[in-house]
Amino acid sequence: MARAGGAPLPTITDDRALGAADIQRSLRFNKGDNTVLTRSPSSTTNSTKQTLSFWFKISSLIDATNQGIMFAGGDDGSYSYVQLWSNTFYFGNSAGPYWNGTLRLRDFSAWYHATIVIDTTQSTADDRQKFYLNGVQQTKGNAGSNNPNQNDNYEYLTNSSWTYYIGKRATNDHNFDGYMAEINFVQGQALEPTQFGFTDPVTNIWLPKRYEGTYGTNGFYLDFSDNSSTAALGIDKSPNGNDWTTSNFSVSA
């Protein structure tokens, strides 16, 4: 069920007092309830450029070594992942590419904004995968990274033979414990974080901004604004109608 007319619903609304913006809803992922969203794309449309943007808040470090944010797996043993590993970000896929950071997330009260940018057309290897937290590009950790080859297709959220999960790393383990909001996946474009947020010139705080661009065939936008039922939480608000199936969530007014 895509948004009629093509433009996303205005879930991010103007905050006139601050001159900024306000995200209306988020989705609670409770590790103990095994909450998860799943989707299998109807077609494989890999590309050399992809951008993933989402807001998140951690509720605990119950599984401090591994909390799955997004994961996909195929019957042939192939997979891709975005996860918290020892309280830092770690993403990649089974074909070899991965990125590991230096930051450590410990603030349970803070909302963070993550942007992962893949662009394998770049001639400089380290420019082919980037990670931004609150608009600031992060440096690689001791484990460094293994960059994709130039012009490689990157099977991230675009493989029809895989089942994709939001909120856990695999079928029965390593759940994320926290909140997520405003998940944008854009296929075919390597975008800057400033497409999704900006730094307030007065407070110097990174704030959300509504994304107004296109999404590509397997792109999607989850804003969790429709809480009329648990199923409605997974409705894609991009023009694509790439809806997700929800499991073990509850809704309230």
Side-chain angles (χ1 to χ4, degrees), residues 10-24:
T11 312
I12 302 181
T13 59
D14 291 339
D15 184 338
R16 301 298 182 185
L18 296 177
D22 181 37
I23 295 176
Q24 297 296 295

Side-chain angles (χ1 to χ4, degrees), residues 159-178:
N159 190 323
S160 64
S161 66
W162 291 356
T163 298
Y164 289 88
Y165 303 85
I166 297 178
K168 66 192 311 182
R169 190 184 185 280
T171 308
N172 294 309
D173 65 353
H174 300 309
N175 293 67
F176 175 65
D177 198 41

Side-chain angles (χ1 to χ4, degrees), residues 167-227:
K168 66 192 311 182
R169 190 184 185 280
T171 308
N172 294 309
D173 65 353
H174 300 309
N175 293 67
F176 175 65
D177 198 41
Y179 297 80
M180 291 192 215
E182 286 294 306
I183 303 176
N184 283 280
F185 175 63
V186 179
Q187 182 190 355
Q189 299 180 70
L191 301 175
E192 295 292 326
T194 49
Q195 293 285 329
F196 311 97
F198 69 100
T199 300
D200 186 289
V202 177
T203 64
N204 205 36
I205 295 173
W206 184 256
L207 296 171
K209 182 173 75 175
R210 188 182 307 123
Y211 173 64
E212 297 181 344
T214 58
Y215 285 86
T217 302
N218 270 314
F220 59 85
Y221 168 43
L222 300 177
D223 65 5
F224 313 121
S225 62
D226 186 347
N227 67 341

Side-chain angles (χ1 to χ4, degrees), residues 54-250:
F54 60 97
W55 289 82
F56 71 99
K57 180 180 179 182
I58 54 175
S59 293
S60 72
L61 298 176
I62 295 172
D63 191 349
T65 60
N66 196 338
Q67 286 196 39
I69 294 175
M70 296 186 186
F71 182 84
D75 293 337
D76 60 356
S78 56
Y79 57 87
S80 68
Y81 56 89
V82 179
Q83 63 191 40
L84 295 177
W85 183 274
S86 297
N87 307 337
T88 191
F89 262 85
Y90 195 22
F91 63 87
N93 68 29
S94 57
Y98 69 86
W99 187 95
N100 169 255
T102 58
L103 73 160
R104 292 291 182 267
L105 302 176
R106 299 185 177 91
D107 189 348
F108 295 162
S109 66
W111 276 96
Y112 299 97
H113 178 240
T115 312
I116 294 172
V117 183
I118 306 296
D119 183 359
T120 66
T121 68
Q122 295 293 321
S123 58
T124 301
D126 280 348
D127 289 339
R128 296 174 197 157
Q129 50 185 359
K130 298 177 181 178
F131 177 72
Y132 299 83
L133 190 73
N134 295 343
V136 178
Q137 186 173 349
Q138 300 298 305
T139 57
K140 296 180 292 186
N142 292 332
S145 68
N146 183 25
N147 294 309
N149 295 324
Q150 190 173 16
N151 297 318
D152 272 1
N153 283 322
Y154 203 104
E155 295 179 327
Y156 198 36
L157 289 164
T158 59
N159 190 323
S160 64
S161 66
W162 291 356
T163 298
Y164 289 88
Y165 303 85
I166 297 178
K168 66 192 311 182
R169 190 184 185 280
T171 308
N172 294 309
D173 65 353
H174 300 309
N175 293 67
F176 175 65
D177 198 41
Y179 297 80
M180 291 192 215
E182 286 294 306
I183 303 176
N184 283 280
F185 175 63
V186 179
Q187 182 190 355
Q189 299 180 70
L191 301 175
E192 295 292 326
T194 49
Q195 293 285 329
F196 311 97
F198 69 100
T199 300
D200 186 289
V202 177
T203 64
N204 205 36
I205 295 173
W206 184 256
L207 296 171
K209 182 173 75 175
R210 188 182 307 123
Y211 173 64
E212 297 181 344
T214 58
Y215 285 86
T217 302
N218 270 314
F220 59 85
Y221 168 43
L222 300 177
D223 65 5
F224 313 121
S225 62
D226 186 347
N227 67 341
S228 59
S229 68
T230 54
L233 295 171
I235 292 176
D236 172 22
K237 297 299 177 62
S238 83
N240 292 339
N242 291 327
D243 298 339
W244 290 68
T245 299
T246 60
S247 298
N248 302 319
F249 292 99
S250 60

